[in-house]
Amino acid sequence: MGETNTQHRLAAVWIGMAVILLAIWGSGLGQSVTAAVDLPGDMAGYYYDGDDVLSTATIARIKQINWQLMDTPNAPEIAVATLADADEDIDQLAADLYKAWNVGQGKKNVGVLIMTNNRHGTRYVKIEVGNGLTAVLSSPQIGDILDANRQLLQSKDPDTVDKGLRRVFDRVAKAVIPAAGKNKPAIVQRTDALIQWLVKLRIGSWTILF
């Protein structure tokens, strides 16, 4: 009888320890996704400024470029996000946010997310690129863009960080905008070619008549 009670007590202790460990593990998981959960569920004008560094002019620039691209077939989206003290690893955080915001029109995946995370006074930077744009914005290009602006982006002065982000945004836009509209569906390409042929034929007819 004594052995049975001892076994019951030991079992209760093990169960209690398992519950505590599960609670700690679950709490850790909750902390790792806090930053992503706190963000808006969708892009508000292609930007999110949690670190409060984006100027009115930079925000206007982000909106302007994306709005100009909006009606272009397979147009790229260029989003900008600044975070403060997000616990998640910068690479994972950028990937999670890119997916949560559905940057790059979902399956077309022609998006770019420029993201900073000011963690405990150190600002980390990441440019997440969709598979549909890797041919026009490669890893070496991204490295060059970040290296050229790293000193600005890691400044303690918000205005300087804003200047760096605007430069990065403009460099990214310059790289990806020429690709907009090039990957049209085959039916659209054939229609365009037919229209061009008819225009040339008509011009040729006018040349002969007049």
Side-chain angles (χ1 to χ4, degrees):
M1 189 70 177
E3 291 182 2
T4 301
N5 289 335
T6 301
Q7 290 174 348
H8 286 166
R9 283 195 296 270
L10 287 173
V13 169
W14 280 111
I15 292 172
M17 291 176 64
V19 170
I20 292 171
L21 289 173
L22 284 172
I24 295 172
W25 179 70
S27 175
L29 285 179
Q31 291 176 358
S32 67
V33 298
T34 298
V37 172
D38 289 345
L39 293 173
D42 201 356
M43 289 180 288
Y46 301 96
Y47 78 96
Y48 174 81
D49 191 20
D51 196 20
D52 197 25
V53 296
L54 296 179
S55 66
T56 303
T58 298
I59 292 172
R61 176 73 172 162
I62 294 168
K63 292 180 178 180
Q64 177 192 21
I65 293 298
N66 280 285
W67 288 343
Q68 288 175 352
L69 292 169
M70 194 179 297
D71 295 329
T72 306
N74 297 318
E77 294 177 340
I78 311 171
V80 178
T82 71
L83 279 63
D85 291 325
D87 290 333
E88 200 168 3
D89 173 77
I90 186 71
D91 293 334
Q92 188 61 51
L93 186 59
D96 290 346
L97 183 55
Y98 182 97
K99 183 178 180 181
W101 272 5
N102 197 30
V103 180
Q105 305 179 52
K107 291 182 179 179
K108 295 180 181 179
N109 207 5
V110 284
V112 180
L113 173 63
I114 302 166
M115 195 191 79
T116 66
N117 179 27
N118 185 3
R119 188 173 183 183
H120 309 308
T122 300
R123 190 169 281 101
Y124 300 89
V125 188
K126 172 72 176 181
I127 298 179
E128 186 77 13
V129 181
N131 292 332
L133 287 178
T134 53
V136 296
L137 190 59
S138 64
S139 295
Q141 286 175 286
I142 292 172
D144 290 343
I145 292 172
L146 291 180
D147 286 343
N149 295 281
R150 198 171 299 280
Q151 188 172 356
L152 297 174
L153 295 171
Q154 294 183 342
S155 172
K156 303 297 183 182
D157 176 38
D159 291 339
T160 304
V161 176
D162 173 70
K163 182 179 180 180
L165 283 169
R166 188 164 62 249
R167 287 187 176 184
V168 169
F169 180 86
D170 286 342
R171 288 279 301 273
V172 168
K174 184 178 180 180
V176 304
I177 284 177
K182 287 187 176 180
N183 300 320
K184 297 181 181 179
I187 184 65
V188 175
Q189 293 175 346
R190 288 196 294 270
T191 302
D192 289 349
L194 176 61
I195 291 172
Q196 292 174 5
W197 180 79
L198 289 172
V199 169
K200 290 178 181 178
L201 179 63
R202 192 173 183 185
I203 292 174
S205 299
W206 287 345
T207 304
I208 295 172
L209 289 173
F210 293 96

